[in-house]
């Protein structure tokens, strides 16, 4: 991967960045994403935010080497600390856990006033982001699920709007867990992800069954069995090659 050729995961994130926007890529690491987007004429300006010194220096080095210092500002700071209200109209946050992404958005809420679109790629726990979007009046407008190098990634795209719109006509709990758009399409990566999750939860359930009985164990068992039932419903009880 470099600034000319992104991974499929980052290419999918790039696909949803608003044309001619000013972008902040939070947790940019090598700054490949904003560099690629500037070089391909998608964004007019980019901010690459990083909280850790090593990746920050790597971003600075790459942006300098590409001759993009006029177009990309590399900034060190925690989450949305690196932007001011009005700086950007699109934000990408990719390659972190869903809870961390939701925390970054929550802690920098006041910076989002002029932001039109969020493109978020959690490595796990996308439900934390879907919940944050609902609580903060952002409408999920698209979702993708892809598999690359035997890992499955979800990409969530949101704009301001009616946060419950994508969930109408479905069980909210299910939609939040697996994604309302992904649930409608049920692509092979989706089936694979949830078959593997189901297998994992079944294993956890079996371990809990052999644990010393306690109120806590019973509560956990109930929680896990509810998740299994929910995912079984989603998979239409199909026995797939991964179960
Ligand atoms: N976004 C790139 C991608 O998707 O390939 C890099 C992903 S890398 C796994 C996650 C990056 O996020 C790391 O470089 C880490 O230092 C940075 N990061 C983690 N928490 C952050 C925060 N609160 N604010 C800014 N950057 C953060």
């Amino acid at each position: 991967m470099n600034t000319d050729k992104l991974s499929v995961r980052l290419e999918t994130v790039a696909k949803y960045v608003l044309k001619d926007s000013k972008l902040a890529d939070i947790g940019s690491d090598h700054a490949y994403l904003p560099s690629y987007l500037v070089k391909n004429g998608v964004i007019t300006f980019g901010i690459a935010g990083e909280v850790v010194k090593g990746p920050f220096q790597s971003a600075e080095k790459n942006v300098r080497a590409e001759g993009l210092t006029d177009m990309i500002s590399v900034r060190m700071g925690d989450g949305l600390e690196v932007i001011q209200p009005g700086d950007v109209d699109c934000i990408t946050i990719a390659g972190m856990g869903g809870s961390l992404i939701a925390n970054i958005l929550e802690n920098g809420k006041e910076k989002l006033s002029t932001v039109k679109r969020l493109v978020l790629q959690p490595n796990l726990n996308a439900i934390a982001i879907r919940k944050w979007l609902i609580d903060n009046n952002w409408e999920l407008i698209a979702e993708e699920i892809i598999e690359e190098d035997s890992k499955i990634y979800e990409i969530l795209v949101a704009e301001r709007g009616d946060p419950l719109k994508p969930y109408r006509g479905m069980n909210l709990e299910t939609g939040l867990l697996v994604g309302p758009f992904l649930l409608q399409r049920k692509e092979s990566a989706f089936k694979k992800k949830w078959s593997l999750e189901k297998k994992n939860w079944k294993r956890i359930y079996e371990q809990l069954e052999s644990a010393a009985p306690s109120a806590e164990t019973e509560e956990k068992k109930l929680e896990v069995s509810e998740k299994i039932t929910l995912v079984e419903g989603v998979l239409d009880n199909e026995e797939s090659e991964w179960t």
Side-chain angles (χ1 to χ4, degrees):
M1 186 166 60
N2 55 45
T3 59
D4 295 312
K5 181 82 191 112
L6 296 178
S7 59
V8 175
R9 174 182 64 82
L10 280 184
E11 217 172 63
T12 311
V13 172
K15 193 171 100 180
Y16 287 99
V17 170
L18 286 171
K19 176 94 175 95
D20 298 325
S21 63
K22 287 183 277 175
L23 170 80
D25 181 39
I26 305 299
S28 198
D29 195 350
H30 30 59
Y32 287 165
L33 180 62
S35 301
Y36 170 92
L37 290 165
V38 165
K39 286 168 84 175
N40 285 278
V42 178
I43 58 169
T44 56
F45 174 71
I47 293 170
E50 250 305 328
V51 74
V52 176
K53 199 172 169 194
F56 166 76
Q57 288 171 333
S58 153
E60 273 195 319
K61 184 168 149 264
N62 290 336
V63 168
R64 217 179 305 120
E66 295 283 349
L68 297 175
T69 49
D70 288 348
M71 308 282 282
I72 298 174
S73 167
V74 181
R75 301 181 186 174
M76 185 144 171
D78 186 353
L80 302 186
E81 220 176 66
V82 296
I83 58 170
Q84 292 307 316
D87 271 356
V88 296
D89 28 47
C90 190
I91 291 180
T92 49
I93 314 179
M96 304 175 205
S99 302
L100 178 54
I101 294 177
N103 278 338
I104 287 175
L105 294 168
E106 180 63 24
N107 295 337
K109 263 183 186 182
E110 71 287 355
K111 308 285 180 69
L112 298 175
S113 54
T114 56
V115 175
K116 295 192 187 92
R117 181 175 286 189
L118 302 170
V119 187
L120 310 167
Q121 184 268 300
N123 286 343
L124 48 98
N125 203 16
I127 187 173
I129 296 179
R130 295 192 187 99
K131 283 182 176 168
W132 185 90
L133 294 173
I134 290 188
D135 290 345
N136 291 279
N137 287 320
W138 286 83
E139 179 182 327
L140 203 53
I141 59 159
E143 288 177 310
E144 297 253 2
I145 189 161
I146 56 140
E147 182 172 4
E148 184 173 41
D149 298 333
S150 304
K151 293 197 185 103
I152 295 173
Y153 302 103
E154 289 167 70
I155 294 98
L156 279 57
V157 187
E159 292 189 351
R160 286 169 199 287
D162 173 359
L164 289 174
K165 189 174 161 196
Y167 301 93
R168 296 227 164 86
M170 68 178 66
N171 176 288
L172 180 61
E173 212 187 332
T174 309
L176 284 170
L177 182 67
V178 305
F181 295 96
L182 303 178
L183 176 62
Q184 279 161 24
R185 298 202 301 270
K186 291 190 187 177
E187 290 145 295
S188 65
F190 175 92
K191 288 186 186 169
K192 182 169 180 178
K193 176 184 167 79
W194 293 108
S195 299
L196 289 168
E197 292 281 357
K198 184 176 112 177
K199 200 171 167 185
N200 190 33
W201 287 332
K202 281 194 162 172
R203 192 180 44 77
I204 293 171
Y205 191 87
E206 279 159 21
Q207 282 168 356
L208 288 167
E209 275 197 318
S210 49
S214 71
E216 201 188 327
T217 312
E218 286 311 307
E219 199 183 314
K220 189 79 194 152
K221 268 169 68 183
L222 185 64
E223 193 188 306
V224 174
S225 72
E226 278 170 2
K227 281 183 178 170
I228 294 170
T229 308
L230 213 136
V231 169
E232 276 174 347
V234 162
L235 294 170
D236 301 326
N237 296 319
E238 288 168 27
E239 278 309 311
S240 78
E241 62 193 282
W242 302 285
T243 50

